[in-house]
Amino acid sequence: MEVAGFEVFEAENAAAGIAIARKEKPDIIIMDVRLPDMRGSEAARILRQDKETSGIPIVFCDCFCNGRRQRRDKTYN
């Protein structure tokens, strides 16, 4: 995404990602469903409850399905 000219912020876990989202207010959040410290759906709920981040679109990515590496994307509204 950086090659395409987008500014990218990375986080090691959900708590760091939530903090970055609150500080930077990105145009979109791309998040893994499985995070080290909590599920992506819980992180999304936290972001939705915060008036500063509630309007940011969130796209979930999951690359593990049935023991094989695959890509599945789902938009969370």
Side-chain angles (χ1 to χ4, degrees):
M1 294 191 75
E2 290 171 329
V3 173
F6 292 95
E7 185 175 13
V8 176
F9 302 98
E10 295 182 38
E12 294 281 325
N13 56 47
I18 291 166
I20 291 169
R22 287 176 171 156
K23 180 181 178 198
E24 301 296 337
K25 315 259 185 323
D27 293 326
I28 190 168
I29 296 170
I30 301 172
M31 175 179 358
D32 199 321
V33 174
R34 296 178 181 112
L35 301 166
D37 54 345
M38 71 178 80
R39 295 192 53 78
S41 58
E42 180 60 24
R45 263 192 284 290
I46 292 167
L47 292 166
R48 289 288 170 257
Q49 292 171 352
D50 185 330
K51 68 179 181 177
E52 295 292 320
T53 58
S54 63
I56 301 171
I58 299 171
V59 177
F60 282 122
C61 297
D62 183 10
C63 297
F64 188 80
C65 182
N66 295 328
R68 297 188 328 239
R69 189 165 176 81
Q70 296 179 348
R71 182 185 173 124
R72 297 182 324 183
D73 298 335
K74 179 180 178 184
T75 302
Y76 183 86
N77 289 320

